[in-house]
Amino acid sequence: MFTLSKTTAAGKELRTCVVDTLVELMDENNQLVALDADLGSASGWTAIANKHPQRFINMGIAEANMVGVAAGLSLTGYTPFIHTFGPFATRRVFDQLFISGGYGGNTINIYGSDPGFAVGHNGGTHTTWEDVALMRMIPQSIVCDAADEVQMAWIIKTFSQLSGVHYVRGNRKAVPTIYEKGSTFELGKGNVLRPGDELLLIASGQLVSETLQVAEEFAEIGISCEVIDMFTIKPIDKELIIREVQGKRQVITIENHSITGGLGSAVAEVLAETGSAVPLKRIGVNERFGQVGTPDFLQKEYGLDAASIKQQIVEGKVRG
């Protein structure tokens, strides 16, 4: 069960949350191992190396090899967690994840950091608008987009108990708080954060906060919006979508990702397959590469800040 936070102030940095959670799990389970692709300082995973040096491996800038080693560790009974920036954790190593991980029946837990506009000054080569689309293509994979530190910690702990290929994306830095500490969730189940009668807003990850803000601003002018945090994009909560779309005049998906292959596509598939005749608008990035800039600048540049999201809904247009 989850409880909404009484504050929207930024919480613990997500990288610190991941590290603290993994250290806690590794204290309890000597079969957990952590691998990082030469980003120990950026990810904070040097803290894991200091606490559990025998179960931490810095693989260097060799991400494909990192996936192969993780698969090998899985074969010998270990539960590996790997980290690098989102595009290098997915796009650069997709064949290894698909074959050595999915096809090989191995367990690989992946934290892809700084997705979308969170990439900041690392720029276009480090930008991932396509990681969710790629990871959805691996049979039996689980794909999550963490909204805040509470949800991120729960996802990491839950992944540690499962077999298979699992991917969670999230900023390295602090993000607005959505949930109270102690909240629990269910993989494959979305969370209704705000009831509403007219528009159904389905968001994931860091943009859950902006979506709640947009819903509040619409409420002030008499437009009732329901907000769902669809933190598990695969498997997506079909039952919830089918139920909550009833009576709505429009569905809007909001994601820090390409509108192709991500949350918007997953929702579109559900609506099409069930014959739902409710119009759908996908808000995300459309046919663009990444660029250099601060996260705040990039969020506005791609139309993913609250003001731009609201404008796109009002005007019926999708920027990006």
Side-chain angles (χ1 to χ4, degrees), residues 42-269:
S43 66
W45 283 37
T46 50
I48 301 175
N50 293 334
K51 187 68 183 295
H52 293 286
Q54 299 304 312
R55 285 185 282 138
F56 173 83
I57 308 173
N58 178 8
M59 298 299 304
I61 306 175
E63 295 87 352
N65 189 40
M66 178 171 68
V67 173
V69 170
L73 288 166
S74 174
L75 279 170
T76 56
Y78 289 94
T79 300
F81 280 81
I82 69 174
H83 165 263
T84 184
F85 294 136
F88 309 144
T90 55
R91 183 175 71 224
R92 180 174 286 179
V93 299
F94 183 72
D95 188 56
Q96 285 77 15
L97 288 173
F98 194 98
I99 300 299
S100 298
Y103 185 77
N106 291 304
T107 293
I108 305 177
N109 300 301
I110 309 135
Y111 166 40
S113 62
D114 289 0
F117 60 75
V119 67
H121 291 296
N122 285 332
T125 59
H126 288 53
T127 303
T128 177
W129 301 120
E130 69 291 319
D131 54 325
V132 170
L134 287 169
M135 296 307 296
R136 286 179 67 212
M137 290 300 299
I138 299 177
Q140 286 81 55
S141 63
I142 294 174
V143 182
C144 294
D145 198 358
D148 69 359
E149 61 161 301
V150 175
Q151 196 170 70
M152 176 65 86
W154 183 90
I155 290 169
I156 295 294
K157 289 180 179 180
T158 301
F159 280 3
S160 73
Q161 301 168 13
L162 304 175
S163 299
V165 175
H166 315 124
Y167 179 65
V168 60
R169 68 199 309 256
N171 203 329
R172 282 181 300 137
K173 303 299 180 62
V175 299
T177 302
I178 304 296
Y179 297 102
E180 283 288 340
K181 293 187 183 301
S183 291
T184 59
F185 312 94
E186 184 176 351
L187 286 176
K189 298 295 181 182
N191 303 324
V192 178
L193 305 187
R194 181 187 179 107
D197 300 323
E198 297 180 70
L199 303 181
L200 178 59
L201 310 183
I202 304 176
S204 66
Q206 191 167 340
L207 291 184
V208 170
S209 174
E210 278 77 0
T211 302
L212 286 168
Q213 181 181 336
V214 168
E216 181 64 29
E217 293 179 5
F218 273 125
E220 293 173 359
I221 58 175
I223 300 175
S224 177
C225 299
E226 177 176 337
V227 176
I228 292 176
D229 169 19
M230 196 65 76
F231 78 97
T232 310
I233 302 174
K234 182 189 178 186
I236 199 161
D237 193 343
K238 295 181 180 180
E239 292 181 0
L240 181 64
I241 295 171
I242 294 167
R243 184 178 74 238
E244 298 305 319
V245 76
Q246 301 301 315
K248 303 298 192 299
R249 60 184 175 88
Q250 189 171 37
V251 180
I252 298 101
T253 59
I254 302 164
E255 59 190 312
N256 181 24
H257 187 272
S258 169
I259 62 171
T260 302
L263 174 64
S265 289
V267 171
E269 290 161 12

Side-chain angles (χ1 to χ4, degrees), residues 241-310:
I241 295 171
I242 294 167
R243 184 178 74 238
E244 298 305 319
V245 76
Q246 301 301 315
K248 303 298 192 299
R249 60 184 175 88
Q250 189 171 37
V251 180
I252 298 101
T253 59
I254 302 164
E255 59 190 312
N256 181 24
H257 187 272
S258 169
I259 62 171
T260 302
L263 174 64
S265 289
V267 171
E269 290 161 12
V270 174
L271 297 177
E273 289 171 354
T274 57
S276 299
V278 180
L280 169 68
K281 179 190 299 299
R282 296 175 296 162
I283 294 178
V285 172
N286 187 22
E287 297 293 330
R288 290 186 66 181
F289 292 103
Q291 59 181 301
V292 176
T294 66
D296 287 345
F297 166 80
L298 294 175
Q299 187 172 6
K300 292 179 181 178
E301 171 69 16
Y302 290 98
L304 298 177
D305 59 303
S308 299
I309 291 168
K310 181 181 177 182

